[in-house]
Amino acid sequence: MTRLIDLRLGLFLAALFAVTVLAPLATTLPSTSALNLPSYLIPLMGKYLCYALLAVALDLCWGYAGILSLGHGAFFALGGYAMGMHLMREIGARGVYANPELPDFMVFLGWTELPWFWYGFDMFWFAAVMALLVPGLLAFVFGWFAFRSRVSGVYLSIITQALTFALLLAFFRNDMGFGGNNGLTDFRDVLGFSLSAPSTRIALFVLTAVALAGCMLLARAITISKAGKVLVAVRDAESRTRFLGYRVESYSVFVFTVSAMMAGLAGALYVPQVGIINPGEFAPANSIEIVVWVALGGRGTLVGAAIGALVVVALKSWLTATFPDLWLFALGGLFILVTLALPNGLLGLLDRLKPRQAKPAAEVPA
Amino acid sequence: MSTALIGAPLNAAQLYLDGVCRSFDGFKAINGLSLAVAKGELRAVIGPNGAGKTTMMDIITGKTRPDEGKVIWNGDTDLTKIDEAGVARLGIGRKFQKPTVFETHSVEDNIRLALKAPRGVFPVLFDRRSAEENRRVTEYLDRIRLTHLRAETAANLSHGQKQWLEIGMLLAQEPQLLLVDEPAAGMTDAETMETAELLKSIAGERTVIVVEHDMDFVRALNCRVTVLHQGSVLAEGSLDHVSARDDVIEVYLGR
C-alpha cells in the first residue's frame, strides 16, 4: 500500500507548518528586530497559499486524470464571489449609502430590492456552502455533458476556456447583480472580526494553510486509492479502461467536480485576504497561468503543483514590482523552458539529480 | 425481440450476430454479417486486411454502433444498445491488436485494476486491498508467468510480455467471452505456441474468439475457422476445409 504521506509530502507539510507557526510569531517581534515580519505581508502570504491550493486542484484533474482545464480560474472566481457576497452583506448599513439591506452598488444602480440570488448570503455558513457548491455544481453539469459526449483533449481545453470567458463577459454586466466591472469590495469584517485587524489576518492565513494541507491530503488519498489508479489508467489508455468495464465519464466527472470545489475553496479564502473580487478573475489568461504553475512544479505530483504556484507567484510579485514590462515575457519564457527542458517540472529535476536507487535487474525470459 | 429470429439451433449460441451492417463514408466495412458462436467454443476469425475483423469486434464490444442488425448475447440481450463499459460488465473482455496496458502502473496494478470487482466510482474509491485480492493477482501473474516482474512498471516490459500482461488482464476480468485481436503479433515462435496453448486451455470454460493473420497460429488453435471477406462470412469450417476452397484461396490464402 502506498503511504498517504510520503517523504515529499511530509517535507512540504512540515515546511508549511513551520511557516504557519513562525510567520505570525515574527510579526509580533519589535520592528527593530531583523526577524520582524511586517504584518501586511501576512495576507500576501495567505494569497500565495490560495494559489498553491488552486494549483493542487488543477493538478488533481490534469496531472492524474489528464483533464487539461483551461478554465479553473472560473471555479476559483465563483468561490470568491460567493464569499464576497457574504462580506458585502456583512457591511450592512456602514456603506456609503447606509442601506442596511442593499450593497452600495445596487443602491447606486437604483435597485430597490435584493435580487433573489443574494438571499441567504447574509449567513456565513450559507456563503461557505455556496463557495463549494456553486463551482462543484457547474463542474458537475459541465463535465457531465462534456465527458458523456466524449469531449476530451484539446477540445475540452478550448471549451473550458470558453466557459471562463463567457463568465467573464457575464460578470462584467451590471445587470448580472454582482457589481459589474468593479466587482465586490470595501469589505469591513468577517464573522464580526475586522478584516484589517492583524489577528483576523493571521487567522485567515492559518486557515488557508490548514485548507491547503487538508486538500493536499485529500487529493493524495484520492490519487493513491484504486480510483486514483483508474484515473491514471484513463489518462494513459482510455479505451482499455472502458473495455475493463469502468465508466470513464463517471470518473472524469468525479475528479473534475472535486477539483472545482477545491478551486472554489481557494477563491473563498482568497477574497477576504485580498479585499476584492472582480470579473478580472475570470480572465482566460489567469486560468492559463495556473497551468504554468502546475507544469513548472511538476504535473501529477501535487507537491510540485503547490511549489510551482509559490515560485511563479513570488517571481511575478518581484518582477511586476521591479521590471513591470518583463513579466509576460518571463511567464512565456518559463512555459517554453518547462516544455522543452523540464517535462516533469522542478520535482522531476530533483528526481533526476537524486542518485538512482539500485533496482534488481528485471529478468527477461526468452 | 422476436424469438423466431433466434431459431432453435441458435438459441444455444452465446453470441449471435444477425445481419449486421456498418458503413464508413459509403464503404461497407461490415455487410450483412451473421455469425453464431456457441458457449465455450474456440473460434478463429481470419480474413484479408479490410475484411471487417476489427470493426466486427468494435460492434460486439459497443465501440461502434451498426447501421443495421443485432448482436444477441446469451439469447436475450442486444449488445448494440450498450456502451463499452456495459458490455464489459456483461462479461465480454477484449484484447487489442496493439498491446494496450497501463504503462505507468506496475504489472501488479494492471492486473488489480482488471480483477472482477465493482466498477463504480465510490466502491472503487473506498476499495481496500485484501489478502484475497493479492492471492488472485498472484494467481493470474503465475498463469501469464510474470510473477517475477510483479513490481515492474508495465512500460518496461517487452512487446511479448505486454501481450501476455494484457491477456492476464483479460483473464482477471473473468469474462464469459474473450475477443482476442492478433495475440501473436510481435511474439517469437515459442511465445506464439505458448499463447495458442493458453487460449486452448481457456476455451471450454469460456468462449474465445481469436482474430489472427498467422496461419501457423490458427493451425495450432485447431478450431473452427470463419473466413471474413468484404464484411461478410465467406466460408466457415475446419482450417483444412476452408483452406481447400478456391474462393478462400483467391481472396486470402493465395496471396
Side-chain angles (χ1 to χ4, degrees):
Chain A
M1 190 76 203
T2 321
R3 279 170 42 199
L4 180 64
I5 301 181
D6 61 353
L7 180 67
R8 247 182 214 170
L9 184 58
L11 285 175
F12 183 87
L13 291 178
L16 180 67
F17 180 76
V19 170
T20 310
V21 171
L22 295 178
L25 284 179
T27 60
T28 61
L29 295 172
S31 56
T32 49
S33 161
L35 292 173
N36 171 268
L37 188 75
S39 88
Y40 69 84
L41 284 179
I42 291 287
L44 187 69
M45 290 168 68
K47 181 172 112 171
Y48 286 8
L49 294 186
C50 291
Y51 288 145
L53 175 50
L54 180 54
V56 169
L58 181 70
D59 194 28
L60 181 61
C61 80
W62 181 36
Y64 291 89
I67 303 165
L68 174 54
S69 166
L70 293 180
H72 252 51
F75 303 124
F76 177 81
L78 286 171
Y81 265 98
M83 186 50 62
M85 286 161 79
H86 171 68
L87 299 178
M88 284 308 263
R89 295 293 312 269
E90 210 172 316
I91 296 170
R94 289 169 294 173
V96 178
Y97 297 104
N99 187 314
E101 188 81 352
L102 297 185
D104 278 349
F105 74 89
M106 293 185 190
V107 183
F108 180 77
L109 290 172
W111 296 8
T112 51
E113 57 184 275
L114 201 67
W116 63 267
F117 49 82
W118 276 75
Y119 293 165
F121 279 93
D122 49 330
M123 293 170 284
F124 177 83
W125 68 266
F126 184 83
V129 169
M130 285 295 147
L132 296 177
L133 211 60
V134 172
L137 198 66
L138 176 65
F140 181 84
V141 172
F142 180 88
W144 198 78
F145 282 108
F147 298 125
R148 264 183 65 94
S149 317
R150 310 244 169 132
V151 177
S152 63
V154 67
Y155 300 101
L156 184 85
S157 302
I158 291 169
I159 53 172
T160 53
Q161 180 96 114
L163 171 78
T164 195
F165 190 62
L167 285 167
L168 169 81
L169 295 180
F171 274 72
F172 259 126
R173 296 170 61 244
N174 280 332
D175 302 348
M176 275 290 280
F178 296 105
N181 187 22
N182 297 323
L184 311 175
T185 189
D186 293 331
F187 310 134
R188 300 289 174 100
D189 41 37
V190 60
L191 292 170
F193 299 103
S194 167
L195 283 171
S196 53
S199 56
T200 315
R201 289 173 161 191
I202 287 171
L204 285 167
F205 167 70
V206 171
L207 207 61
T208 310
V210 170
L212 174 61
C215 285
M216 286 179 86
L217 287 172
L218 176 65
R220 172 86 182 152
I222 291 173
T223 57
I224 63 172
S225 76
K226 189 175 172 188
K229 294 194 157 96
V230 174
L231 290 172
V232 172
V234 171
R235 183 190 74 190
D236 293 346
E238 181 176 326
S239 53
R240 173 36 74 224
T241 320
R242 284 188 198 279
F243 288 121
L244 283 182
Y246 293 100
R247 287 241 148 69
V248 166
E249 49 274 24
S250 312
Y251 285 83
S252 301
V253 168
F254 166 74
V255 74
F256 194 57
T257 306
V258 171
S259 171
M261 290 170 82
M262 283 186 188
L265 175 62
L269 289 162
Y270 172 87
V271 167
Q273 301 188 77
V274 174
I276 183 167
I277 175 81
N278 64 32
E281 294 296 338
F282 287 106
N286 280 22
S287 293
I288 292 171
E289 213 181 305
I290 308 165
V291 173
V292 179
W293 300 340
V294 177
L296 180 89
R299 185 187 160 198
T301 59
L302 300 175
V303 171
I307 292 175
L310 297 173
V311 167
V312 178
V313 174
L315 194 69
K316 183 182 184 177
S317 292
W318 175 68
L319 269 182
T320 47
T322 38
F323 310 101
D325 298 336
L326 279 183
W327 165 240
L328 282 179
F329 292 102
L331 184 67
L334 263 183
F335 199 55
I336 293 170
L337 177 81
V338 168
T339 314
L340 293 180
L342 300 172
N344 297 315
L346 291 174
L347 279 202
L349 185 69
L350 274 184
D351 282 347
R352 252 191 290 168
L353 297 177
K354 242 188 342 204
R356 288 198 163 263
Q357 279 174 303
K359 204 172 10 177
E363 185 189 323
V364 182
Chain B
M1 183 190 324
S2 81
T3 36
L5 184 79
I6 310 160
L10 290 170
N11 62 9
Q14 185 175 42
L15 181 73
Y16 173 45
L17 279 73
D18 178 31
V20 175
C21 296
R22 169 73 203 211
S23 52
F24 295 105
D25 299 325
F27 170 70
K28 286 185 173 162
I30 296 286
N31 189 10
L33 174 65
S34 294
L35 183 74
V37 181
K39 192 165 169 41
E41 192 182 340
L42 174 60
R43 173 74 62 94
V45 176
I46 62 174
N49 282 329
K53 303 184 298 287
T54 300
T55 309
M56 178 190 83
M57 291 216 171
D58 285 347
I59 288 172
I60 295 169
T61 53
K63 188 179 178 201
T64 301
R65 298 263 173 260
D67 302 326
E68 276 175 54
K70 284 180 178 168
V71 179
I72 307 299
W73 171 248
N74 281 337
D76 56 6
T77 310
D78 187 354
L79 296 180
T80 63
K81 305 278 187 284
I82 306 173
D83 69 354
E84 296 100 312
V87 170
R89 290 178 193 189
L90 283 174
I92 299 177
R94 175 176 188 180
K95 198 200 129 346
F96 294 99
Q97 195 170 328
K98 182 173 166 284
T100 311
V101 296
F102 304 126
E103 304 258 334
T104 54
H105 283 320
S106 65
V107 168
E108 180 180 3
D109 279 343
N110 269 275
I111 297 290
R112 190 168 171 242
L113 286 177
L115 280 182
K116 186 174 182 168
R119 296 292 200 232
V121 177
F122 292 99
V124 173
L125 185 64
F126 295 108
D127 178 83
R128 284 278 159 265
R129 183 178 291 199
S130 64
E132 164 64 11
E133 196 183 60
N134 281 336
R135 194 193 57 73
R136 285 167 71 201
V137 169
T138 308
E139 179 190 320
Y140 291 111
L141 286 175
D142 286 345
R143 196 149 177 198
I144 56 171
R145 296 177 205 168
L146 291 178
T147 317
H148 60 297
L149 296 173
R150 190 176 187 125
E152 186 62 69
T153 305
N156 298 336
L157 298 185
S158 72
H159 187 86
Q161 287 169 335
K162 282 182 191 170
Q163 295 275 35
W164 279 74
L165 177 56
E166 199 181 1
I167 292 171
M169 290 163 74
L170 210 58
L171 293 175
Q173 275 179 270
E174 296 176 28
Q176 295 179 54
L177 167 66
L178 287 82
L179 295 164
V180 189
D181 203 348
E182 298 199 19
M187 282 190 177
T188 63
D189 288 349
E191 285 171 334
T192 302
M193 289 306 131
E194 278 180 42
T195 308
E197 287 309 312
L198 178 69
L199 292 176
K200 278 160 76 177
S201 74
I202 296 164
E205 186 191 350
R206 308 178 195 286
T207 313
V208 182
I209 300 178
V210 185
V211 164
E212 190 49 73
H213 267 301
D214 185 333
M215 277 304 138
D216 291 335
F217 182 69
V218 175
R219 193 165 293 283
L221 289 178
N222 187 26
C223 66
R224 195 175 170 86
V225 175
T226 300
V227 184
L228 288 192
H229 178 52
Q230 293 180 349
S232 50
V233 175
L234 180 67
E236 203 168 280
S238 71
L239 184 60
D240 290 333
H241 168 76
V242 299
S243 57
R245 283 179 54 157
D246 291 343
D247 50 358
V248 175
I249 293 167
E250 191 182 332
V251 304
Y252 187 50
L253 298 166
R255 292 193 196 175

